[in-house]
Amino acid sequence: MKTAIIVDSTAYIPKSLREEKNIYSIPLSIIFDDKQYREEENITAEEFYEKVKQEKIFPTTSQPPIGEIVELLKEIAVNYDEAVFITLSSGISGTYQTVQSAGRMVEGLTVYPYDSEISCMVEGFYALEGADMAARGKSATEIVKRFDEMKPFIRAYFIVDDLSHLQRGGRLSAAQALIGSVLQVKPILHFEDTKIVPFEKIRTRKKALKRVLELFHEDAFQGVPIEATVIHANRPQEAEELCKEIENKYPNVNVNISYFGPVIGTHLGEGALGLGWYRK
């Protein structure tokens, strides 16, 4: 059995790495007024944040059309027997449900949709692990079993400057957004039961980041191997400083820098910063 690994674009795995690991990807889209852009294909994260500044509006987002998913699966079916398709959390996008439907429409390929229950490079952790396993000849069921083993150890926390983007996009309730705007707090957010919810309410960004590092330390100080990612929304210098701090303090941690691309950036806004990791 030959197994393909597919992920949606919100994992933000660099194209060079996707090609090296033989990972297929399908883009989600953003729409400015009446013009649609496919993220990672015809708009970069840098171009997105610049466009938002210039036009002073945030776009809407769109999941991949089922027809595009079906076409990709048909192409993959030529050379593969089965595919594991990792998606961003079903609580913030209908992509997972669409993949389920598309998988039933393609003959000659057994599709295993997998709800990462998260997004960004933390979702990408699954795709990278799956790709390495597929390269070693592991089956889709073995890969999905490994994903289920990983999930309890995956953590991700993020800080946003303005909760209104999440509230406007329906990813955070109006009441939760009000908590931040009225009290001027910088809540730490995370995924819980596939949804984005506040984890703790903290007064300043500096204190919020300090608290996230405390949460990270609870796992990292034990000395076990950890894969980590610092994720930023157009704040490369801040991400670089945080990455170096982690590298210097924890020799057992392999940490990289990633980013909130156009689709996720639409919901978080510029300035968001996140830290995700899992114990290997």
Side-chain angles (χ1 to χ4, degrees):
M1 298 290 282
K2 195 175 177 186
T3 306
I5 301 297
I6 315 167
V7 72
D8 68 72
S9 61
T10 67
Y12 304 123
I13 301 171
K15 184 179 180 181
S16 59
L17 187 55
R18 293 200 312 268
E19 290 176 347
E20 176 192 334
K21 300 283 188 179
N22 204 26
I23 296 170
Y24 293 85
S25 179
I26 194 160
L28 276 74
S29 298
I30 57 169
I31 303 152
F32 280 95
D33 292 328
D34 58 349
K35 187 164 184 182
Q36 183 165 306
Y37 298 85
R38 294 157 63 90
E39 72 168 0
E40 304 290 279
E41 288 192 3
N42 59 5
I43 188 168
T44 66
E46 291 80 7
E47 290 167 344
F48 164 74
Y49 291 112
E50 186 59 34
K51 190 173 180 64
V52 169
K53 286 177 186 175
Q54 290 174 352
E55 302 195 10
K56 295 181 172 56
I57 59 167
F58 264 74
T60 56
T61 61
S62 175
Q63 68 184 57
I66 190 168
E68 285 189 16
I69 296 175
V70 168
E71 286 306 308
L72 175 61
L73 294 176
K74 284 181 178 178
E75 291 174 18
I76 288 171
V78 175
N79 297 308
Y80 293 86
D81 305 296
E82 53 185 14
V84 180
F85 200 134
I86 305 119
T87 73
L88 75 166
S89 179
S90 60
I92 63 170
S93 170
T95 303
Y96 172 72
Q97 290 83 355
T98 303
V99 168
Q100 285 182 310
S101 299
R104 294 191 287 266
M105 299 168 67
V106 177
E107 295 182 1
L109 183 74
T110 305
V111 181
Y112 294 76
Y114 194 81
D115 184 356
S116 72
E117 300 184 15
I118 208 153
S119 187
C120 299
M121 192 59 194
V122 188
E123 172 193 346
F125 287 156
Y126 289 108
L128 295 171
E129 180 77 8
D132 288 343
M133 291 182 70
R136 299 196 303 269
K138 300 297 183 181
S139 69
T141 53
E142 290 174 304
I143 292 169
V144 168
K145 181 183 178 183
R146 171 60 184 148
F147 289 175
D148 287 341
E149 292 170 351
M150 289 169 61
K151 190 167 281 186
F153 297 102
I154 282 185
R155 305 280 184 270
Y157 300 94
F158 49 103
I159 307 158
V160 298
D161 281 340
D162 186 352
L163 288 169
S164 66
H165 304 303
L166 278 166
Q167 190 268 323
R168 185 191 61 247
R171 271 65 180 186
L172 199 69
S173 75
Q176 289 168 332
L178 191 65
I179 290 169
S181 60
V182 172
L183 301 179
Q184 292 299 300
V185 298
K186 297 291 182 186
I188 297 170
L189 305 173
H190 70 150
F191 279 85
E192 186 176 273
D193 298 328
T194 77
K195 301 283 199 314
I196 297 173
V197 298
F199 177 74
E200 285 181 7
K201 305 176 193 68
I202 299 191
R203 281 286 178 184
T204 67
R205 182 183 177 94
K206 184 177 180 180
K207 288 180 179 178
L209 181 55
K210 180 182 178 183
R211 177 62 178 132
V212 170
L213 286 170
E214 287 174 356
L215 293 164
F216 178 69
H217 178 74
E218 290 175 9
D219 281 344
F221 91 99
Q222 299 178 39
V224 297
I226 284 179
E227 194 73 27
T229 181
V230 176
I231 313 169
H232 69 94
N234 211 28
R235 292 293 185 271
Q237 184 175 344
E238 189 176 9
E240 183 67 37
E241 290 170 359
L242 180 55
C243 186
K244 286 181 179 177
E245 182 178 345
I246 290 170
E247 284 178 330
N248 292 336
K249 191 171 182 179
Y250 304 103
N252 56 307
V253 175
N254 181 47
V255 58
N256 64 54
I257 296 174
S258 188
Y259 55 92
F260 294 112
V263 167
I264 302 301
T266 293
H267 301 300
L268 299 186
E270 186 172 357
L273 189 69
L275 179 60
W277 70 92
Y278 75 101
R279 288 186 283 161
K280 299 182 76 173

